[in-house]
Amino acid sequence: MKSAKAKAHTNIALIKYWGKKDPKLFLPMNSSLSLTLDAFYTETEVILDGNLEMDQFILNDEIQGEAETTKISNFLNLFRQETGILTPAKVTSQNFVPTAAGLASSASAFAALGAAMNEVSGMKADPTTLSTFVRRGSGSATRSVFGGFVEWQMGTCNEDSHAIQIDDASWDIAMVTVAVNTGKKTISSRQGMQLTVDTSPFYASWVETAATDLVDIKQAIRNQDFQQLGEITESNGMKMHGTMLGARPPFTYMEPTTIDVLAAVRQLRQQGFEAYYTMDAGPNVKVLCHLSDSEKIQMKLKEAFPNNPVIISKVGGGIELLS
Ligand code: ADP
Ligand code: DP6
Ligand code: CO
């Protein structure tokens, strides 16, 4: 029996990935850019065990059923095709982030699983190549291989659609999360983006403007221009959410409290804080701000939303092997 255990952090996109050009290979419609978060992560152990009849998957201490286990098997098969090592695996994973709530559990999940399988199978791909493998578990996982600001370059094929670190984000940056609802969403990211691609008339302009947003945000990062960084982040995120209202049937991940949090962040700006919001496929709000302001911002948001957890995160690093 051989085993390996790895840790990966979640990442929150500032320029979003929302839609696939090739759903089988997980090639995205546009390149995206994210910030890796220290406070939210997944730890996953893979044991290769010749005595097992088939793969086993345990998530947060619960044995998973056929549908979830098949997803894991399909992903591990990518590594098996490459290495020729077909031994069944016992996969044990713990999320230190709510699962399927729009807080990017699929990103840390597949980055951690891929990193552990890369080690235990002896494949030992370099991080860039590994990012092309984990992409096929969940697109957002591509970016979780690295820390700081990370770009997922959409590329043209399986081999060149990968992540690169743009900047280690070691300047005065944090993200504050306001948890509005950490329950499991009813429309997964995968379903939501496909419905949008297939039916929303706003989709074409989303793709078009995401390309210029990416150029502009990379310039802002180079200049360490926080205001530009925040304004582009806010605009890009809301444009993505706008595409969903154009879908048929229309849908949204926003809840009433979400809207109140967005207003509270605008109010923080009026009070002089550089704070900007973004949201993923879920009702929770992430606030991009200076680390040096983050405790004050946390206090003010706690005051306004006493029933909602408000969590500060520093910038996170890339995948780590734990054993
Ligand atoms: P999220 O916003 O959390 O990323 P998604 O809809 O993108 O939501 O993905 C959630 C799915 O990711 C889960 O339903 C499950 O299939 C998978 N997932 C989450 N955590 C893990 C984990 N630790 N290991 C393997 N798969 C996971
Ligand atoms: C809104 O990576 O979860 O968080 O590739 O189908 O697994 P699949 O979807 P996923 O989608 C993430 C969507 C997003 C934006 C982003 O992270 O870029
Ligand atoms: Co996800």
Side-chain angles (χ1 to χ4, degrees):
M1 286 204 302
K2 275 187 173 173
S3 75
K5 188 172 179 182
K7 171 175 174 177
H9 297 98
T10 63
N11 70 80
I12 297 302
L14 310 183
I15 305 298
K16 307 293 186 187
Y17 144 58
W18 193 244
K20 298 176 180 74
K21 193 154 56 191
D22 182 336
K24 194 165 176 291
L25 287 178
F26 289 69
L27 299 179
M29 288 283 199
N30 62 277
S31 297
S32 54
L33 186 143
S34 61
L35 185 65
T36 304
L37 298 189
D38 184 62
F40 300 107
Y41 57 93
T42 298
E43 290 182 356
T44 300
E45 182 185 49
V46 179
I47 302 175
L48 298 185
D49 182 351
N51 296 317
L52 291 174
E53 299 249 309
M54 48 160 76
D55 295 331
Q56 270 180 19
F57 176 36
I58 297 149
L59 174 58
N60 298 337
D61 301 318
E62 282 184 24
I63 298 179
Q64 302 293 299
E66 200 186 325
E68 284 298 318
T69 308
T70 302
K71 265 201 213 174
I72 299 296
S73 295
N74 290 341
F75 178 70
L76 295 183
N77 286 344
L78 300 172
F79 295 78
R80 290 171 174 145
Q81 277 157 21
E82 196 70 16
T83 59
I85 296 171
L86 306 177
T87 320
K90 179 177 176 188
V91 173
T92 309
S93 187
Q94 201 75 36
N95 278 340
F96 297 85
V97 57
T99 303
L103 289 164
S105 71
S106 68
S108 51
F110 284 95
L113 177 59
M117 188 60 178
N118 188 40
E119 181 67 20
V120 74
S121 69
M123 192 172 91
K124 307 233 178 187
D126 62 82
T128 306
T129 307
L130 181 60
S131 78
T132 69
F133 276 80
V134 305
R135 189 192 74 230
R136 294 165 74 182
S138 179
S140 54
T142 313
R143 300 181 308 243
S144 271
V145 171
F146 298 106
F149 287 115
V150 181
E151 180 182 353
W152 171 12
Q153 301 185 330
M154 64 173 162
T156 57
C157 61
N158 181 44
E159 286 70 32
D160 69 0
S161 185
H162 64 78
I164 61 163
Q165 189 193 56
I166 292 291
D167 184 290
D168 65 6
S170 60
W171 20 312
D172 188 16
I173 292 177
M175 204 166 251
V176 175
T177 297
V178 182
V180 169
N181 182 348
T182 54
K184 209 171 163 180
K185 53 190 153 190
T186 50
I187 304 177
S188 70
S189 304
R190 197 158 300 172
Q191 294 163 330
M193 67 175 78
Q194 195 56 47
L195 181 65
T196 307
V197 172
D198 291 342
T199 64
S200 179
F202 306 153
Y203 192 71
S205 49
W206 153 257
V207 174
E208 214 172 282
T209 64
T212 48
D213 286 350
L214 181 69
V215 172
D216 294 347
I217 208 165
K218 282 163 73 175
Q219 182 69 39
I221 291 169
R222 265 194 298 277
N223 298 340
Q224 300 197 358
D225 182 339
F226 198 86
Q227 185 179 341
Q228 269 291 101
L229 180 74
E231 287 179 5
I232 297 165
T233 295
E234 216 170 83
S235 158
N236 184 270
M238 289 302 110
K239 280 190 290 191
M240 176 189 78
H241 284 275
T243 63
M244 303 172 204
L245 296 175
R248 268 181 88 153
F251 68 103
T252 182
Y253 290 105
M254 295 199 189
E255 292 183 11
T257 308
T258 306
I259 308 280
D260 293 338
V261 178
L262 303 186
V265 175
R266 287 191 293 267
Q267 220 172 40
L268 284 171
R269 275 209 296 276
Q270 278 172 358
Q271 295 166 12
F273 291 101
E274 288 200 290
Y276 299 88
Y277 51 74
T278 188
M279 296 169 55
D280 289 300
N284 306 300
V285 181
K286 294 98 185 185
V287 184
L288 181 67
C289 63
H290 292 295
L291 182 60
S292 53
D293 287 338
S294 60
E295 286 182 5
K296 271 190 223 149
I297 288 176
Q298 180 189 41
M299 211 176 65
K300 285 179 177 281
L301 290 170
K302 257 322 320 147
E303 244 168 56
F305 303 95
N307 301 321
N308 298 90
V310 180
I311 306 135
I312 298 176
S313 181
K314 294 182 185 167
V315 175
I319 45 174
E320 292 165 39
L321 276 174
L322 300 178
S323 62

